Amino acid sequence: MNDETPICSAKGCRVPAVWVLAWNNPKLHTPERRKTWLACDEHREHLTQFLGMRGFLKDVVTLAEWESRPAAQS
């Protein structure tokens, strides 16, 4: 792990991220805007449920898949 390694967004977690959770708060963001949280395998489900309960979750993909998308889509 180095300074460039993406880290899980869960509070206190320092594990490298494997997943990208794309989300949007419709009260604050335009429909096409995507904010992202990163997740390790252990915290993916918890963070997914947190965003899903609020109706914010739009997509869950691997970090590798997210990074391979054209810039206009991410």
Side-chain angles (χ1 to χ4, degrees):
M1 187 165 65
N2 60 42
D3 290 340
E4 299 297 317
T5 303
I7 301 298
C8 179
S9 298
K11 185 176 181 178
C13 186
R14 303 301 303 155
V15 175
V18 180
W19 299 96
V20 174
L21 287 65
W23 62 278
N24 168 305
N25 180 340
K27 291 182 180 179
L28 303 175
H29 308 121
T30 59
E32 67 280 350
R33 172 107 188 256
R34 292 294 179 266
K35 304 284 285 181
T36 57
W37 280 357
L38 303 176
C40 63
D41 282 330
E42 181 180 348
H43 292 111
R44 180 181 65 114
E45 186 61 31
H46 170 73
L47 294 173
T48 297
Q49 288 180 1
F50 181 89
L51 292 169
M53 286 176 44
R54 289 155 179 79
F56 295 173
L57 187 64
K58 301 300 179 190
D59 200 8
V60 178
V61 297
T62 65
L63 180 58
E65 182 182 341
W66 185 264
E67 289 176 336
S68 71
R69 289 181 176 186
Q73 292 182 10
S74 59

